[in-house]
Amino acid sequence: MTSRLSARDLIRVGLAGLRVRPGRVVLASLGIAIGIATMVAVVGISTSSQADLLRQLDELGTNMLTVKAGQTLQGEDAKLPEKSVVMVSRIPAVFAVAATGDVEASVYRTDRMPADQTGGISVRAATLGLLQTVQGNVRGGGWFTAATERYPTVVLGSIAARRLGVTSPGAQVWLGGRWFTVLGVLDPVPLAPGIDRAALVGWPAARQLLGFDGHPTTIYERSTPEEVEAVRAVLPRTVNPEYPEEVTVSRPSDALAARAATAGAFTNLLLGLGAVALLVGGVGVANTMVVSVLERRREIGLRRALGATRGHIRVQFLTESLLLSGLGGVVGLALGVLVTVGYALSNGFPTLVPLWAIGGGLGAVVVIGSAAGLYPAVRAARLSPTVALTA
């Protein structure tokens, strides 16, 4: 009569083989745990950060285009016409347009600062509709009005305010050789990062007080999403009908999309490192199982003498290998999820761990456990009972 080994007995025998060597089990499963944790955490963090980027794109919209002056045929810096903003506003699909213009001035916290210590802060003239067009937010204070844009007032970008040490409106800064009152401080503007490092002055005040020539440097426009490409095609000739080749048009949201793509490429690299760690863990499991077979030859011989078949011995050691890998896999999955949750919460990202990453981790555990235990299991099954008992 052929003996049979139930699944319950098989798991019990496999666990018994692991319990007698707890230290070796922990060390062998550690490599699997590190590999699985790395892969799950990398996928989870990448997915969470990409979800945050997509959320930003949804909130900020992909329908904003920026227009800047390029170069002339002689290689010199071109200028946008003074009437550019008005011309762009006449395009039927455009519903918001604003501009900034570079001003030849510097801003300092006090009038006693050395002239060369500008802190990398630029001074720009800004039209009234800028904040609405770029979807910026005022952290403290307010934005320009039709009245305040004519007076020596300034709105600071987030980085500019930090470098000047200004945290609230009402402070005075030395700008262009005279005192300006800080009207407001902005939050970061993802689609117009140049504004973060700028001190913004009202367009009329820049012309009257700082010698601004009135030529916009950057134009920001928003159109209906369906008409973005059509507007993009006509913007150069609308802005500068005489020299459209001197106008460059870009879409800032493409930069966020590029960041998401770059993050995906970086994720693939880290996944490769996780796979290497998983492979090393598999080698560790295989080595542990081979040593276990050598140390337990008497046990193998005794079981064979009592009626266990070669198939029973193979399945027993293969089960031990799978349980050993499974232990590391479960610990690795838990660590990977915890790392993802901690990273997402600390950065304000949505927490996302794709189910395919968890399923892939479990699948990798099964494959690694099977591959690592196959050779030791076959070797154990080939031992002759008489040779094993006399070893």
Side-chain angles (χ1 to χ4, degrees):
M1 182 177 178
T2 305
S3 62
R4 301 180 65 180
L5 191 62
S6 67
R8 182 178 179 181
D9 292 335
L10 191 60
I11 294 176
R12 188 174 69 250
V13 171
L15 290 174
L18 298 180
R19 280 197 299 266
V20 296
R21 300 169 180 83
R24 186 181 299 171
V25 168
V26 171
L27 292 175
S29 60
L30 185 61
I32 299 290
I34 293 174
I36 294 295
T38 300
M39 297 180 75
V40 172
V42 164
V43 172
I45 290 173
S46 175
T47 304
S48 298
S49 60
Q50 286 183 356
D52 185 67
L53 281 175
L54 293 176
R55 178 185 60 79
Q56 290 186 45
L57 282 172
D58 290 338
E59 291 179 354
L60 299 172
T62 59
N63 60 332
M64 189 177 89
L65 298 175
T66 62
V67 180
K68 294 184 178 181
Q71 290 187 327
T72 65
L73 294 177
Q74 291 75 31
E76 300 176 351
D77 292 335
K79 283 188 175 184
L80 299 178
E82 292 187 42
K83 299 296 184 180
S84 299
V85 176
V86 176
M87 297 300 293
V88 172
S89 66
R90 293 175 180 172
I91 300 176
V94 173
F95 59 82
V97 60
T100 61
D102 291 342
V103 179
E104 293 295 330
S106 299
V107 59
Y108 308 94
R109 186 65 183 89
T110 71
D111 58 347
R112 300 189 181 274
M113 294 291 294
D116 59 341
Q117 294 185 13
T118 62
I121 303 172
S122 61
V123 178
R124 299 186 184 185
T127 59
L128 278 180
L130 178 65
L131 195 65
Q132 178 185 2
T133 304
V134 300
Q135 292 191 359
N137 295 306
V138 179
R139 181 190 306 164
W143 182 246
F144 297 109
T145 65
T148 57
E149 70 169 349
R150 301 179 179 277
Y151 294 98
T153 56
V154 60
V155 175
L156 300 176
S158 59
I159 296 176
R162 185 173 69 247
R163 291 178 179 175
L164 289 172
V166 177
T167 58
S168 59
Q172 298 277 313
V173 294
W174 187 253
L175 195 159
R178 63 180 298 163
W179 292 104
F180 274 67
T181 301
V182 176
L183 190 62
V185 176
L186 301 180
D187 281 328
V189 184
L191 291 185
I195 293 177
D196 296 340
R197 295 174 173 80
L200 303 172
V201 179
W203 202 272
R207 300 194 71 162
Q208 296 166 13
L209 305 176
L210 301 174
F212 174 52
D213 60 8
H215 289 274
T217 305
T218 305
I219 299 174
Y220 305 92
E221 71 80 29
R222 284 189 182 272
S223 52
T224 55
E226 299 79 11
E227 300 292 335
V228 170
E229 293 304 324
V231 172
R232 190 173 191 170
V234 301
L235 272 175
R237 191 164 294 279
T238 301
V239 170
N240 194 342
E242 190 173 0
Y243 301 107
E245 68 279 359
E246 296 180 358
V247 178
T248 61
V249 182
S250 63
R251 181 154 54 179
S253 58
D254 291 343
L256 289 179
R259 280 173 56 194
T262 302
F266 189 61
T267 297
N268 293 334
L269 173 62
L270 293 179
L271 281 177
L273 296 177
V276 171
L278 197 58
L279 179 61
V280 172
V283 173
V285 171
N287 181 65
T288 298
M289 295 306 302
V290 169
V291 173
S292 179
V293 170
L294 295 176
E295 292 179 345
R296 296 162 63 188
R297 283 181 295 178
R298 289 181 179 273
E299 175 193 333
I300 296 170
L302 181 60
R303 292 199 63 216
R304 289 295 308 279
L306 292 175
T309 65
R310 288 187 174 183
H312 292 158
I313 300 299
R314 279 196 299 268
V315 174
Q316 174 192 345
F317 280 91
L318 194 58
T319 300
E320 287 188 21
S321 177
L322 286 172
L323 290 173
L324 184 57
S325 299
L327 175 63
V330 170
V331 174
L333 285 174
L335 286 176
V337 171
L338 286 175
V339 169
T340 300
V341 171
Y343 180 86
L345 291 178
S346 64
N347 289 275
F349 294 166
T351 303
L352 293 175
V353 180
L355 291 178
W356 66 262
I358 296 177
L362 293 175
V365 167
V366 173
V367 172
I368 292 293
S370 301
L374 185 60
Y375 170 72
V378 172
R379 181 171 179 173
R382 287 178 178 175
L383 282 176
S384 169
T386 54
V387 173
L389 286 171
T390 57

